Amino acid sequence: MKNQNQNLLVAVAIWLACMAGLYVFYPDLMGKRTATEQKPPSPAQAPAHPGAPVASPPQGSGPAAAPKGPEVPRGTSTPRPPLRIVTFETPRARVVATSEGAAVQSILLLGEKWTRHKGQKDEAQVDLVPARAGEPLPFTTAITAADGSALVPAATSYELVKQDATSATFRAEQAGVTVTKTLSINPGTYGIALAVEVKAAQGVAGQLSVLSGAHAEEPQGGFFTPHSNTPARAICAAGKKVERIAIGAKTPVFEAAAAQFAGIDEQYFLNAVLPPAGFSASCRLETQGEKSGSLIAALTVPLQVPPNVSVQLAFQGYAGPKSEADLTAVGAPFKQSIEWGFWSVIAELLLGIMKFFYRAVPPHNWGVAIILLTLAMKVLTFPLQHKSMKSMQEMQRIQPQLEEMKKKYAGDTQRQNLEQMKLFKEHGVNPMGSCLPMVIQMPIWFALYTTLQVSVELYNEPFIRGWIGDLTSKDPYYILPVAMGITMVLTQMLTPTPMSNPSQKIMGYVMSGFFSLLMLSLPSGLTLYIFTNNILSIAQQMYLRRKLHSPKASDQTVEVDKKKDDRQGGGGAAAGRAKLRV
C-alpha cells in the first residue's frame, strides 16, 4: 500500500494526458466518424457565380448516383435569359436568390450574435454561402435520364416568372423538359422550401438531385483548436447514423441510401435539405483537395414523369444556427446534425442545467449560468468532498503509526499491507479517497468542453464585455488561465498530505502549471468553470479544516500513574493518578 495516493495521482495525470493526446492526434475517435470506403469517381463542380463551371449528374443510373460535372449544353437555339437577383429579408436572415441555376447565392444571418471572429479586425456577419467560385450554390438542381445523360444540368439559366415578399418562381426549358422552381422563405423560422415542377412532352425516367457546396480547409489540431478554426464539412444523415467528411479525408466520396437529409455542416450552423415526403432518397458527399478545396453534397430522388403530365416535388431546406428548437421547427431529422459525440449524455445534461439558470437568474448571462452550474456540481459532490477530506485528515494523524509499522515489518511486505489495511479500517481511512473528487470532475470538464464546441446558444455569448466577449473562445488577455493556476496551487497548499510523502505536493504543483498552460488556448467558459470550482474548493477546505481540526494542544490532557515514593524523604503516599497538561 506504499504511496498509494501518489500512484493514483500519477495514474490520473497519465489518463488525462492520454485523453488530451486522443483529442490532438486522433480527433475522429472522440465522437467523429470516418466515411465508409468508396471508390471515388471523377470530381464534380457547379457554379457559385454566373458562367462558372458546374456540377452535373454522373454517368450511370441507380438511386445512389449523384450529379457530376457536365458543361453547359452548347448549340442551343434558346437565348440565355437575363440574370435576375431576388432578395428576401426576414427578422432572422437576408436571403438572396439568383436566376443562374435558380439557387440561393447568399444567406446572411441577422443580429449582433451572428458574427465571425467577434471583436477582431476581420469581423463579419455570418453568411452561410461564402463567395467562392467552383462549388454549387444551395438548392441547385440537376436532372438526369436513366442512362446518365444530362437533361437539365445544374448550370441551366432560369427565367424569373414571378416573385413576392417571401417567394420567387423560376422556369427553364431544356431538351424538351420544362422545370419550374419556387423558392419560399419562412419569416418565422430558418426554413427555405423548394418546390420543383417537372413536365416533359416525351416523359422522363431518371433522377433529380439537389446540390449544395462550400469551400473549406483541412481540419487542424483537435482538443487545443479554438472554435473559429473548425472548418465546414459535408454531412448526410442516412439510416440511423450521420456521416461527415472534411477536406483531406482518406475516403473523399461517401454514398448512402435511405438519406434523411444532406448538406453542409459548419459546426454551429447547418445548410441542408430534406427529401420530399414519401420519396426514397440517397446522398452523395464529395471532397476535392488536400489542404483546402471544395465540398459537394447531393440529395438525389428518383424521377418518373409521364408524357405531358406535371410532377411536383417539395423539398424542405434549413439554413441557420444549429439550435435544437430551430432545427426541430423546420424538420425533426435536422436535430441529428448536433454532434454531441462521446460525452453526449453529460454534455446535454450540463446544457439543460445552464439553460435553466440562464432563463431563471438575471442578468441572463451565460457566464453567470456557468458559475451557477459549478456551484450546483459542488453541492452535489459535497458529501464526497467532505468524506475525502476527513479521510485525508485522519491519514495525516495516523502517519506516525504507519511509519512505525513499516519499520516493524520491513522484511514482510504482505504482513505490512495487512496491518495497514487493519489500521485504515479501524480509523475509517480510504487511501483512494483523496483523488476521487478530481476523477469525478474530469468527465464534467470534457463534457463542458464538448458543450462549448457544439451548442450554438453559447456561441459569441459574453461574460464581461470588454474582457470575455465569447465564452466559446479563449480568454484574449489570459487572465482566467493564470488565475486558475494560482487557485490550483492554493488548493494544493490546503490539501492535507501525509508528512512522509511530500512528493504528492510537488506532483500537484506540476499539474497546476500544466493545466494553466493547457487552458491558454481552450474556451474561456471551461476555464471559468474550473476557476470557480477551485474558489469553491478553497472555501470548502477551509471550512472542513476548521470543523475537523483536532482540539488545541493546550486543552489536551493525559493521565499518568503516580508511583509510590519509597525513597528516603519521599512522601510515601499511595499510588495515585495525576493529570498532566500536554
Side-chain angles (χ1 to χ4, degrees):
M1 302 293 294
K2 184 178 181 180
N3 297 337
Q4 289 187 7
N5 285 348
Q6 180 185 4
N7 294 339
L8 180 59
L9 192 60
V10 172
V12 170
I14 293 174
W15 177 82
L16 179 63
C18 291
M19 293 294 293
L22 285 175
Y23 272 101
V24 175
F25 300 108
Y26 303 100
D28 287 342
L29 294 180
M30 305 307 291
K32 302 179 183 179
R33 301 182 177 92
T34 358
T36 308
E37 287 287 341
Q38 299 285 344
K39 184 179 179 180
S42 57
Q45 288 187 337
H49 299 285
V54 298
S56 70
Q59 300 298 322
S61 59
K68 301 191 253 188
E71 298 179 353
V72 179
R74 301 175 183 176
T76 175
S77 57
T78 306
R80 192 179 188 90
L83 174 65
R84 300 291 300 274
I85 302 296
V86 181
T87 302
F88 308 101
E89 186 159 345
T90 72
R92 295 170 176 258
R94 181 182 297 118
V95 180
V96 179
T98 174
S99 60
E100 289 296 319
V104 173
Q105 70 176 21
S106 176
I107 304 172
L108 194 72
L109 302 184
L110 302 179
E112 183 185 357
K113 180 181 177 71
W114 310 123
T115 56
R116 298 190 190 273
H117 310 297
K118 191 173 182 180
Q120 300 180 13
K121 293 181 179 179
D122 57 345
E123 179 178 320
Q125 206 72 12
V126 173
D127 192 336
L128 301 184
V129 190
R132 294 274 188 173
E135 296 86 29
L137 295 173
F139 301 100
T140 298
T141 56
I143 299 177
T144 58
D147 60 359
S149 60
L151 298 178
V152 183
T156 301
S157 295
Y158 286 72
E159 177 187 2
L160 177 64
V161 295
K162 181 183 177 182
Q163 74 174 97
D164 55 33
T166 59
S167 66
T169 301
F170 303 90
R171 182 177 294 127
E173 184 175 353
Q174 191 83 23
V177 180
T178 301
V179 180
T180 304
K181 296 174 63 175
T182 301
L183 291 166
S184 302
I185 312 300
N186 188 334
T189 69
Y190 290 101
I192 301 177
L194 170 64
V196 182
E197 180 182 353
V198 183
K199 185 176 181 180
Q202 298 180 356
V204 172
Q207 55 192 13
L208 184 145
S209 298
V210 180
L211 305 173
S212 186
H215 191 87
E217 297 179 353
E218 182 183 18
Q220 300 292 331
F223 188 77
F224 301 99
T225 305
H227 77 86
S228 57
N229 291 343
T230 304
R233 293 172 293 173
I235 183 174
C236 171
K240 294 185 178 181
K241 77 171 186 175
V242 178
E243 199 71 44
R244 295 173 176 85
I245 62 173
I247 299 298
K250 293 181 180 179
T251 53
V253 175
F254 170 81
E255 294 181 340
Q260 300 179 48
F261 69 84
I264 303 297
D265 179 5
E266 289 191 64
Q267 185 177 8
Y268 295 107
F269 308 99
L270 178 69
N271 174 20
V273 62
L274 295 170
F279 278 76
S280 176
S282 62
C283 67
R284 173 188 170 93
L285 309 180
E286 182 178 350
T287 67
Q288 302 170 3
E290 295 182 359
K291 298 299 181 181
S292 64
S294 300
L295 299 171
I296 300 174
L299 185 74
T300 303
V301 296
L303 182 64
Q304 297 291 333
V305 181
N308 296 317
V309 175
S310 295
V311 172
Q312 297 184 352
L313 303 174
F315 296 87
Q316 179 60 57
Y318 180 89
K322 290 198 295 185
S323 163
E324 183 175 333
D326 291 326
L327 292 166
T328 307
V330 176
F334 288 132
K335 178 183 174 181
Q336 301 176 64
S337 64
I338 302 178
E339 187 182 13
W340 292 109
F342 183 79
W343 305 100
S344 58
V345 176
I346 305 176
E348 291 187 67
L349 176 62
L350 295 181
L351 180 61
I353 296 173
M354 286 190 291
K355 282 183 177 180
F356 170 77
F357 286 134
Y358 177 80
R359 291 191 297 262
V361 180
H364 308 294
N365 182 290
W366 284 101
V368 174
I370 291 176
I371 293 175
L372 294 176
L373 169 69
T374 315
L375 180 61
M377 293 297 104
K378 180 61 70 174
V379 171
L380 289 176
T381 59
F382 180 83
L384 180 62
Q385 293 272 6
H386 179 85
K387 187 176 180 180
S388 173
M389 187 164 185
K390 187 175 181 181
S391 177
M392 286 188 287
Q393 290 274 15
E394 194 64 28
M395 174 74 81
Q396 200 170 33
R397 289 173 184 167
I398 67 173
Q399 191 62 32
Q401 300 179 53
L402 288 174
E403 292 300 318
E404 195 66 30
M405 193 177 296
K406 289 177 184 178
K407 294 177 181 178
K408 184 177 180 179
Y409 302 107
D412 190 349
T413 305
Q414 185 176 358
R415 179 67 182 276
Q416 183 185 129
N417 291 339
L418 183 62
E419 294 297 328
Q420 282 184 354
M421 291 304 296
K422 287 181 180 179
L423 187 62
F424 290 156
K425 186 176 181 180
E426 179 183 347
H427 290 268
V429 172
N430 180 6
M432 312 290 285
S434 61
C435 291
L436 286 177
M438 184 172 62
V439 172
I440 290 177
Q441 284 292 335
M442 284 183 178
I444 298 177
W445 295 347
F446 285 112
L448 182 58
Y449 174 81
T450 300
T451 304
L452 291 165
Q453 292 293 96
V454 170
S455 303
V456 73
E457 289 86 352
L458 292 158
Y459 175 78
N460 272 345
E461 286 296 329
F463 173 43
I464 298 177
R465 295 186 182 276
W467 172 27
I468 297 178
D470 182 5
L471 288 165
T472 64
S473 63
K474 66 179 182 179
D475 182 345
Y477 305 109
Y478 304 110
I479 297 174
L480 269 180
V482 173
M484 186 206 72
I486 295 173
T487 55
M488 290 190 75
V489 171
L490 291 176
T491 304
Q492 290 294 325
M493 293 174 65
L494 292 172
T495 302
T497 304
M499 291 178 293
S500 64
N501 193 11
S503 59
Q504 281 195 13
K505 290 285 187 181
I506 298 175
M507 175 64 68
Y509 298 147
V510 171
M511 289 187 65
S512 299
F514 169 75
F515 268 97
S516 296
L517 293 175
L518 180 69
M519 302 306 294
L520 291 177
S521 61
L522 291 183
S524 56
L526 178 60
T527 314
L528 177 62
Y529 176 92
I530 300 176
F531 171 74
T532 306
N533 183 73
N534 291 344
I535 294 295
L536 295 175
S537 296
I538 292 172
Q540 181 184 26
Q541 289 194 15
M542 293 178 68
Y543 164 75
L544 291 176
R545 283 167 67 93
R546 178 175 297 181
K547 183 178 179 181
L548 300 175
H549 197 278
S550 57
K552 293 181 180 179
S554 60
D555 297 332
Q556 293 184 354
T557 61
V558 61
E559 292 183 346
V560 298
D561 288 334
K562 185 178 181 182
K563 295 183 179 180
K564 179 179 179 181
D565 193 351
D566 294 331
R567 295 176 301 171
Q568 185 177 3
R577 310 285 297 181
K579 291 185 178 181
L580 301 180
R581 188 173 298 277
V582 180

